[in-house]
Amino acid sequence: MSDTPKTAIIGSGLIGCAWSVAFARGGCTVALYDQNTAAAAQAKDMLIQLASELEQADMLNGQKAADIVGRVSIADSLESALSGAVHVQENVPEKLDIKKQVFAQLDALAPRDAILASSTSALLPSAFTEHLEGRNRCLVAHPINPPSLIRAVEIVPAPWTDPEAVDRCATLMERIGQKPIRMTREIDGFIMNRLQGALLQEAFRLVADGIASPEDVDTGLRDGLAPRWALMGPFETIDLNAPAGVRDYVARYGGMYETIAAGQRETRDWTGDTLDQIDESCRARLPLDRIPQAQAERDSRLVNLMKHLQQHTPKT
Amino acid sequence: MSDTPKTAIIGSGLIGCAWSVAFARGGCTVALYDQNTAAAAQAKDMLIQLASELEQADMLNGQKAADIVGRVSIADSLESALSGAVHVQENVPEKLDIKKQVFAQLDALAPRDAILASSTSALLPSAFTEHLEGRNRCLVAHPINPPSLIRAVEIVPAPWTDPEAVDRCATLMERIGQKPIRMTREIDGFIMNRLQGALLQEAFRLVADGIASPEDVDTGLRDGLAPRWALMGPFETIDLNAPAGVRDYVARYGGMYETIAAGQRETRDWTGDTLDQIDESCRARLPLDRIPQAQAERDSRLVNLMKHLQQHTPKT
């Protein structure tokens, strides 16, 4: 692969811009394309903002925001964006028809050996790649937003995706400093939304069953479980929570979790009274018209947190 | 309540010592008792170590470690420990017989209006308080270890616990800077181990079904979901992930989570091949004999992280 492999980013919303910054930070040249020319024209501002925030947080590997933005060009046609690209990252709206149409274009126009990756969080790759000639190079590379800040990326093959395409995508992600999660096959929710979904089902269950308030369930994750999880995953966590590691942990606590699981088989209705209670709790804590401000504050706190975690992660 | 309410801590292991530091930091005087006099004699060293780490991390509200340790006395009898205490925090081994025996002693000897709280993570309060005369003031106050660092505390009533006892316990916890979670009734796993259990069941399921490796599941939580959760709980998180808040989020994504949940009803065997694979993965990352060192590193990183989070939490 070239020292400065070219990547094409399709769709210039927040996710497309954040991917552009992530690939450019990792040494790629980036062609960013949006069929909405007005949106594309605004992308430079968002790129500058994203890169400047990361520069201030010292998260550009010593580079300047201007260096990063300088490696991103706004392409004036899909053809020019794709020309010479080794990796194409699609970020168009989450509608099946649009994904199908865009992937057909990408497969027709991109270099034969380019990886075609979708950022979709909700659609399985098989749903929009089946009939493409180059379907074996198509996959999902799903980030947690924004990928310029959060490193995990799920790489999800369709049944016909070439394992070598998964490998090449994962290798590129590692090269730019992302943390690829290689899935062996597609499954609803991929990895991260399945983990989040399992936890959310229990959170709704606890409220629906009147065990604790939504505020208190939030406290249990935020001020209890999550700090440790920001340092280590579920298996790493339990591996350190018994003297002889994970095997010892399962011997000691497996029975407790079996008992708990027996009460977690049935889901609860997420609407109706339960949703009313959660909505009331959220609105008492944050009026609806302050959501945009709270999102901006969260993003700013997340930049600080990721800077902290990066600076304090052991180099092993 | 007095300006410096007295608390009695029963059991001088890590949890008892960490509770002693938490109560002393919060302005309480603390009497620490262990029936094993050799253990009690060693407690001062652990108190000094815990308090010093927090002083270095600027997590003693401007106090010195010596101030904190100076507020903790090692009691030479259970009677003297309990004398005048408004709150008793029990931290003896997690064996039902021992808990029953200790709670009978506490109920007989503690002041009539003292709250009797157990740190148990696995036993329901009804299991060891039913036949006590003062059972209505007994409850569980379960921390995430160590409570000197992690603020969430689950307050779990038995069916006969006076709601006023829950209130008084929660008020004291808030006063010393902990984050109480008020449960309305006891349930296996309380809140936090139920949330963790739900997530662990999915983590084991993903490995058992061959969807991803243990390392990659760890990546999904550590480098994907958890940083945001260290800033906000599950409901706060989804409330900010749709333009019109949690109600909007459920309308948009509730269907996706229903689909995911349909594949999460059955648990997987946590032993056998699945455990072999997870154990192999954990041991490849961390040899068994390095677990104590990794625990120490984790604790040190957790101190740094909690300092960061405390310094960057909005004052609302």
Side-chain angles (χ1 to χ4, degrees):
Chain A
M1 197 180 287
S2 141
D3 277 354
T4 55
K6 177 177 171 181
T7 56
I9 311 294
I10 311 304
S12 68
L14 174 59
I15 304 173
C17 285
W19 269 126
S20 298
V21 168
F23 281 112
R25 174 178 56 197
C28 298
T29 59
V30 176
L32 175 58
Y33 174 76
D34 199 307
Q35 67 166 10
N36 177 337
T37 49
Q42 293 173 345
K44 276 277 176 187
D45 288 344
M46 196 184 292
L47 292 171
I48 291 166
Q49 186 190 327
L50 286 169
S52 300
E53 279 172 8
L54 294 174
E55 181 183 328
Q56 282 169 33
D58 196 19
M59 291 184 69
L60 289 181
N61 308 338
Q63 302 169 91
K64 297 286 182 193
D67 301 334
I68 304 301
V69 178
R71 250 173 254 138
V72 182
S73 61
I74 309 295
D76 55 10
S77 72
L78 184 57
E79 288 79 354
S80 70
L82 297 174
S83 172
V86 299
H87 179 99
V88 182
Q89 187 74 36
E90 165 277 309
N91 316 275
V92 302
E94 293 274 53
K95 304 237 192 263
L96 187 55
D97 285 353
I98 300 179
K99 297 283 189 198
K100 279 185 176 172
Q101 187 189 338
V102 168
F103 262 75
Q105 290 179 298
L106 298 180
D107 191 44
L109 296 173
R112 283 264 141 187
D113 58 351
I115 300 293
L116 306 184
S118 172
S119 296
T120 182
S121 67
L123 300 171
L124 297 179
S126 62
F128 53 90
T129 64
E130 183 172 5
H131 300 294
L132 301 178
E133 192 184 331
R135 66 183 192 168
N136 64 340
R137 48 132 163 205
C138 296
L139 45 72
V140 165
H142 171 237
I144 294 270
N145 292 320
S148 48
L149 192 57
I150 306 287
R151 303 289 180 146
V153 182
E154 298 169 314
I155 304 181
V156 193
W160 40 80
T161 303
D162 190 338
E164 192 249 344
V166 172
D167 282 344
R168 281 173 55 210
C169 181
T171 300
L172 180 63
M173 290 297 171
E174 281 168 353
R175 176 179 168 153
I176 67 169
Q178 303 299 114
K179 305 273 192 176
I181 295 167
R182 293 166 194 239
M183 294 178 61
T184 60
R185 61 179 188 270
E186 63 180 26
I187 183 172
D188 286 307
F190 310 149
I191 301 287
M192 292 189 281
N193 275 335
R194 291 184 75 81
L195 292 170
Q196 173 166 243
L199 188 134
L200 278 172
Q201 291 293 353
E202 179 58 19
F204 275 84
R205 198 181 286 115
L206 288 164
V207 172
D209 294 355
I211 305 291
S213 69
E215 295 93 315
D216 281 356
V217 172
D218 277 337
T219 296
L221 185 60
R222 182 188 60 228
D223 297 307
L225 296 166
R228 211 169 295 242
W229 283 344
L231 303 179
M232 48 189 73
F235 296 120
E236 294 171 307
T237 296
I238 65 176
D239 191 46
L240 293 188
N241 280 346
V246 64
R247 199 176 282 281
D248 186 20
Y249 186 93
V250 170
R252 288 168 187 252
Y253 304 111
M256 178 184 80
Y257 287 112
E258 265 186 48
T259 303
I260 291 172
Q264 296 180 322
R265 294 171 59 88
E266 305 299 327
T267 58
R268 302 291 181 272
D269 183 2
W270 283 23
T271 63
D273 290 349
T274 302
L275 183 57
D276 288 347
Q277 189 187 345
I278 295 166
D279 185 54
E280 194 176 323
S281 159
C282 287
R283 294 291 66 77
R285 288 182 273 173
L286 180 73
L288 206 54
D289 60 6
R290 285 193 51 227
I291 284 185
Q293 183 186 338
Q295 289 169 330
E297 287 165 4
R298 173 202 61 193
D299 292 345
S300 162
R301 292 175 65 205
L302 201 54
V303 170
N304 284 327
L305 175 59
M306 296 315 293
K307 175 186 177 183
H308 172 88
L309 291 171
Q310 178 179 279
Q311 289 176 340
H312 290 80
T313 297
K315 306 285 180 290
T316 50
Chain B
M1 196 180 290
S2 144
D3 277 354
T4 53
K6 176 177 170 181
T7 55
I9 312 295
I10 311 304
S12 66
L14 174 60
I15 304 172
C17 285
W19 268 127
S20 298
V21 168
F23 282 112
R25 174 178 56 197
C28 298
T29 58
V30 176
L32 175 58
Y33 174 75
D34 199 306
Q35 67 166 9
N36 178 339
T37 49
Q42 293 173 345
K44 276 278 177 186
D45 288 345
M46 197 184 293
L47 293 170
I48 290 166
Q49 187 191 328
L50 286 168
S52 300
E53 278 173 9
L54 294 174
E55 182 184 326
Q56 282 169 32
D58 197 19
M59 290 184 69
L60 290 181
N61 308 337
Q63 302 169 92
K64 297 287 182 194
D67 302 334
I68 304 300
V69 178
R71 249 173 255 137
V72 183
S73 60
I74 309 296
D76 55 11
S77 71
L78 183 57
E79 289 80 354
S80 70
L82 296 174
S83 171
V86 300
H87 179 98
V88 182
Q89 186 76 36
E90 165 276 311
N91 316 275
V92 301
E94 293 274 55
K95 304 237 192 261
L96 186 55
D97 285 353
I98 301 179
K99 297 283 189 199
K100 278 184 175 170
Q101 187 190 338
V102 168
F103 262 75
Q105 290 179 297
L106 298 179
D107 191 43
L109 296 172
R112 285 266 140 187
D113 57 351
I115 300 293
L116 306 185
S118 173
S119 297
T120 183
S121 67
L123 300 171
L124 297 179
S126 62
F128 53 91
T129 65
E130 182 171 7
H131 300 293
L132 301 178
E133 191 184 332
R135 66 182 192 168
N136 64 340
R137 47 128 163 212
C138 297
L139 45 73
V140 164
H142 171 237
I144 293 270
N145 292 321
S148 49
L149 192 58
I150 305 289
R151 303 289 182 147
V153 182
E154 299 170 314
I155 304 181
V156 193
W160 40 79
T161 304
D162 190 337
E164 193 249 344
V166 173
D167 282 345
R168 282 173 54 212
C169 182
T171 300
L172 179 62
M173 290 296 170
E174 280 168 353
R175 176 179 167 153
I176 67 169
Q178 303 299 114
K179 305 272 191 179
I181 296 166
R182 293 167 195 240
M183 294 177 61
T184 60
R185 63 179 186 271
E186 62 180 26
I187 183 172
D188 287 307
F190 310 149
I191 301 289
M192 292 188 282
N193 275 335
R194 291 185 76 80
L195 292 170
Q196 174 166 241
L199 188 133
L200 278 173
Q201 292 293 353
E202 179 58 19
F204 275 85
R205 199 182 284 116
L206 288 164
V207 172
D209 294 355
I211 306 291
S213 69
E215 295 92 315
D216 280 356
V217 172
D218 276 337
T219 296
L221 184 60
R222 182 188 60 230
D223 297 306
L225 297 166
R228 209 170 296 241
W229 282 344
L231 303 178
M232 48 189 71
F235 296 120
E236 294 172 305
T237 296
I238 65 176
D239 191 46
L240 293 188
N241 280 345
V246 64
R247 199 176 282 283
D248 185 20
Y249 186 92
V250 170
R252 288 168 186 251
Y253 304 110
M256 179 185 77
Y257 287 112
E258 264 186 49
T259 302
I260 292 172
Q264 296 179 322
R265 295 171 60 87
E266 305 298 328
T267 57
R268 300 292 182 273
D269 183 4
W270 283 23
T271 63
D273 290 349
T274 301
L275 183 57
D276 288 347
Q277 188 186 346
I278 294 166
D279 186 53
E280 192 177 325
S281 158
C282 288
R283 294 291 66 80
R285 288 182 274 174
L286 180 73
L288 205 55
D289 62 5
R290 284 194 52 227
I291 284 185
Q293 183 187 338
Q295 288 169 331
E297 286 165 6
R298 173 202 62 194
D299 293 345
S300 163
R301 293 174 66 203
L302 200 54
V303 169
N304 284 327
L305 175 59
M306 296 315 294
K307 175 186 178 184
H308 173 89
L309 290 170
Q310 177 178 279
Q311 290 177 340
H312 290 81
T313 297
K315 305 285 179 291
T316 49

